[in-house]
């Protein structure tokens, strides 16, 4: 399967990237989101707002309620399709009842120990929710244990894009291991985000500059709302 546009840069980051390289890629994440939002595509319109909500509001809501609403899962799907390749999934997703969404997300977000496989299986009981969409829900639930199954991040690892549960579990384990190797406050979610950003920087021809060698993610403040680029 051909790599997604820009994924060669993600491959390079994964293969030889230092902490400073990952930090540089992550620093450009918000700029890449803004560029996507402004590219004129219907599927990416409003991505800046959705991305800010996904990173800054949804995790605390899930932590408080232990579940998602139907509105939440629809917005996550909009975010997922805006950041990646568009697929006609929304009509089927909206066919899920509120009760089914609450039941499945509550089962997946239990605080008692569950395997990643069990959590994904609980979420994929919903129509139009496969492992990739489930991974977005799980990142919102616990970004220290789960990473969004982004195409560009999968390309980077070399395991091949295959939207199955076994492939997601392999991918997630690699994100967990890389976060551990990078140390500091790196999480699987931040590793996946940095790889996606590296790919998009290549697409948008954004030069990734290394600044402070030991700068860590908490100093980047990835929970701050993205800033829009000024246009003349």
């Amino acid at each position: 399967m051909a790599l997604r546009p820009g994924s060669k840069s993600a491959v390079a980051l994964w293969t030889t990237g230092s902490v400073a390289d990952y930090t540089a890629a992550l620093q450009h994440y918000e700029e890449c989101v803004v560029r996507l939002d402004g590219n004129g595509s219907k599927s990416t319109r409003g991505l800046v707002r959705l991305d800010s909500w996904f990173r800054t509001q949804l995790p605390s809501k899930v932590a408080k309620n232990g579940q998602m609403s139907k509105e939440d899962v629809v917005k996550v799907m909009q975010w997922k399709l805006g950041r990646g390749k568009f697929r006609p999934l929304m009509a089927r997703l909206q066919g899920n009842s509120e009760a089914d969404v609450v039941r499945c997300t509550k089962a997946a977000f239990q605080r008692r120990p569950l395997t990643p496989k069990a959590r994904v299986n609980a979420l994929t009981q919903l129509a139009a929710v496969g492992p990739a969409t489930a991974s977005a829900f799980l990142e919102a639930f616990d970004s220290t244990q789960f990473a969004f199954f982004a195409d560009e991040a999968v390309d980077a690892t070399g395991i091949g894009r295959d939207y199955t549960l076994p492939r997601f579990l392999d991918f997630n384990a690699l994100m967990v291991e890389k976060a551990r190797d990078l140390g500091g406050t790196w999480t699987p979610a931040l590793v996946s985000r940095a790889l996606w950003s590296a790919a998009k920087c290549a697409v948008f021809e954004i030069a990734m500059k290394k600044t402070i060698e030991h700068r860590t993610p908490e100093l980047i403040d990835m929970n701050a709302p993205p800033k829009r680029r000024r246009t003349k």
Side-chain angles (χ1 to χ4, degrees), residues 146-200:
F146 293 99
F148 175 53
F149 200 24
D151 286 355
E152 295 81 0
V154 179
D155 282 346
T157 66
I159 63 175
R161 290 198 313 276
D162 179 6
Y163 306 108
T164 62
L165 177 55
R167 189 58 52 87
F168 166 67
L169 295 176
D170 290 343
F171 166 80
N172 198 63
L174 289 171
M175 296 298 105
V176 170
E177 182 180 3
K178 178 63 74 172
R180 188 181 301 119
D181 290 344
L182 292 172
T185 58
W186 283 93
T187 65
L190 288 175
V191 172
S192 176
R193 201 173 294 165
L195 293 167
W196 178 89
S197 183
K200 294 304 178 185

Side-chain angles (χ1 to χ4, degrees), residues 1 26 38 61 67 72-73 101 114 121-122 128 137 173 192 201 217 220:
M1 189 178 293
L26 193 60
K61 182 177 181 181
Q67 63 190 49
D72 292 333
V73 302
V101 169
L114 288 178
N121 282 338
F137 298 160
S192 176
C201 280
I220 302 174

Side-chain angles (χ1 to χ4, degrees), residues 11-89:
V11 172
L13 179 61
W14 177 261
T15 305
T16 61
S18 65
V19 173
D21 293 323
Y22 274 86
T23 301
L26 193 60
Q27 285 178 299
H28 290 289
Y29 175 82
E30 293 174 0
E31 183 177 359
C32 292
V33 171
V34 171
R35 293 283 190 99
L36 274 177
D37 194 335
N39 71 2
S41 170
K42 183 178 179 180
S43 66
T44 61
R45 192 178 305 147
L47 184 59
V48 167
R49 174 183 51 79
L50 281 170
D51 187 76
S52 177
W53 168 82
F54 179 81
R55 291 186 291 109
T56 66
Q57 298 177 43
L58 184 59
S60 59
K61 182 177 181 181
V62 170
K64 178 181 178 181
N65 299 331
Q67 63 190 49
M68 286 186 185
S69 66
K70 182 175 176 178
E71 180 184 8
D72 292 333
V73 302
V74 168
K75 288 172 71 173
V76 172
M77 179 66 84
Q78 291 172 334
W79 171 85
K80 172 181 176 284
L81 297 178
R83 265 201 19 163
K85 183 177 177 60
F86 179 79
R87 295 176 177 86
L89 299 172

